[in-house]
Amino acid sequence: MSWGQLELDAGDSLPHDTFRESVASKIEQLREAQEAGQLEAPWDPVDILVLVHQIATAWAAQPDLLPRPARAAPRS
């Protein structure tokens, strides 16, 4: 999960441990949202996290699939 690696502080001495802590924290937040009734309970929190990650990165890996919006003319 690349976004998790981007969230890490460059000074962290054990990035793997910090990364795992970050993922575990996200999973716990999803579990808490399920318990609060804010998120459907039948889904495993790990599956939700992976699904959201894949949706978020799907377009990032292929930015040229859609035409770029026209830029406004410079003001004079």
Side-chain angles (χ1 to χ4, degrees):
M1 298 197 186
S2 53
W3 91 77
Q5 292 167 325
L6 293 173
E7 291 177 348
L8 301 177
D9 185 324
D12 290 338
S13 59
L14 299 172
H16 272 336
D17 291 342
T18 306
F19 176 71
R20 287 186 181 125
E21 290 171 11
S22 176
V23 171
S25 172
K26 288 172 177 54
I27 291 169
E28 184 58 30
Q29 289 174 4
L30 289 168
R31 188 170 284 119
E32 290 171 2
Q34 286 176 317
E35 291 171 0
Q38 300 170 334
L39 193 59
E40 294 290 326
W43 286 83
D44 185 303
V46 174
D47 293 337
I48 295 170
L49 186 60
V50 170
L51 177 65
V52 170
H53 176 262
Q54 291 302 315
I55 291 170
T57 59
W59 290 102
Q62 302 176 25
D64 295 329
L65 286 178
L66 296 175
R68 295 176 188 233
R71 292 186 178 193
R75 296 182 182 180
S76 31

